[in-house]
Amino acid sequence: MPGIDITDRQRRCVLPFEAVPAEVQLLRKAAAAQLNHWGVPMAGDETALVITELATNVIKHVGEGTSATLILEWKRDRLRVEVHDKSRSLPAPGSAACEAECGRGLHMVAAMAVDWGTIVTVLGKGVWCEIALGSEVACRRVERAIEALENYQGRSGAVLEGSRREAVLEESAIELIADLLHWTAVRGHDPDDILDRAQMHYEAETDAA
């Protein structure tokens, strides 16, 4: 893959790639890393399958070695996956041509996705689908937590990636929880009671998702 363009605030990741089999595994790994970076790894398996099918279709039906682009966009309770290529030939679901040319790829994408479709672009076309991430409330809470941890103790300016970033976020989470427990104690509340109530909120929202 030539490079990665990420606009974190918009939760959008652009991954140009060359349509060859070796690139598919790299795309899957890059997507998994990005989902972990966003704090939404729950869609990792489905995303990997969708990426595999869409990228493989480009290899088979547009041409091996052609330039293509994978776009991931986190939209609260959904993850949008797009693969763009330079062909203007749009797959028509249910048609005899699609049955013969697309194989299981688009059928699998349609089965896993909340919604999917195709778009015509200036350079060719894009095939997109949206994968459910869970309840909107849970995703909004995860998004708020990531933003709070990134800004905790003035660390938002630090550029950290991979395992180092995860370690710093985990450390910040522990310190933030400890600070909140101190805050509750000095105001005469029982820290254990606060933790129990927070756990009840978490379990209720998890069960409802």
Side-chain angles (χ1 to χ4, degrees), residues 79-91:
L79 177 73
R80 185 178 176 98
V81 182
E82 299 181 15
V83 171
H84 292 250
D85 59 59
K86 295 181 179 180
S87 171
R88 293 185 178 275
S89 177
L90 298 179

Side-chain angles (χ1 to χ4, degrees), residues 123-136:
L123 298 177
K125 74 169 182 300
V127 181
W128 62 269
C129 72
E130 293 187 346
I131 300 169
L133 295 177
S135 71
E136 184 175 354

Side-chain angles (χ1 to χ4, degrees), residues 24-25 28 47-57 59 104:
V24 177
Q25 185 177 5
R28 289 164 60 113
T47 303
L49 286 173
V50 167
I51 289 171
T52 298
E53 297 302 333
L54 294 182
T56 299
N57 273 350
I59 295 171
R104 67 169 189 159

Side-chain angles (χ1 to χ4, degrees), residues 17-172:
F17 68 97
E18 184 180 355
V20 295
E23 287 279 274
V24 177
Q25 185 177 5
L26 295 177
L27 282 176
R28 289 164 60 113
K29 289 182 178 180
Q34 187 59 44
L35 293 181
N36 284 329
H37 176 77
W38 284 335
V40 287
M42 66 284 288
D45 291 341
E46 290 177 307
T47 303
L49 286 173
V50 167
I51 289 171
T52 298
E53 297 302 333
L54 294 182
T56 299
N57 273 350
V58 175
I59 295 171
K60 289 181 177 179
H61 308 302
V62 180
E64 185 168 345
T66 189
S67 296
T69 303
L70 169 68
I71 300 175
L72 303 175
E73 185 175 5
W74 175 20
K75 301 163 62 178
R76 292 196 182 277
D77 61 334
R78 293 186 181 189
L79 177 73
R80 185 178 176 98
V81 182
E82 299 181 15
V83 171
H84 292 250
D85 59 59
K86 295 181 179 180
S87 171
R88 293 185 178 275
S89 177
L90 298 179
S95 68
C98 185
E99 294 291 336
E101 295 177 5
C102 301
R104 67 169 189 159
L106 290 183
H107 295 290
M108 182 174 291
V109 169
M112 291 187 296
V114 177
D115 196 9
W116 78 280
T118 60
I119 54 175
V120 177
T121 66
V122 174
L123 298 177
K125 74 169 182 300
V127 181
W128 62 269
C129 72
E130 293 187 346
I131 300 169
L133 295 177
S135 71
E136 184 175 354
V137 171
C139 290
R140 190 181 305 118
R141 284 190 178 277
V142 170
E143 188 175 2
R144 287 206 309 255
I146 292 172
E147 184 173 356
L149 293 174
E150 287 178 339
N151 287 281
Y152 186 65
Q153 295 182 340
R155 288 170 171 163
S156 59
V159 179
L160 299 172
E161 297 295 340
S163 60
R164 174 58 182 158
R165 179 179 183 276
E166 292 303 313
V168 169
L169 290 180
E170 182 177 341
E171 178 188 351
S172 292

Side-chain angles (χ1 to χ4, degrees), residues 2-26:
I4 301 176
D5 176 24
I6 299 172
T7 306
D8 209 349
R9 288 296 179 187
Q10 297 179 353
R11 307 303 186 195
R12 182 179 173 88
C13 173
V14 180
L15 297 162
F17 68 97
E18 184 180 355
V20 295
E23 287 279 274
V24 177
Q25 185 177 5
L26 295 177

Side-chain angles (χ1 to χ4, degrees), residues 141 177 181 191-207:
R141 284 190 178 277
I177 292 170
L181 293 178
D192 288 334
D193 178 59
I194 296 295
L195 285 175
D196 288 341
R197 288 161 61 186
Q199 181 73 17
M200 288 174 61
H201 279 281
Y202 167 75
E203 291 177 352
E205 291 176 2
T206 301
D207 292 340

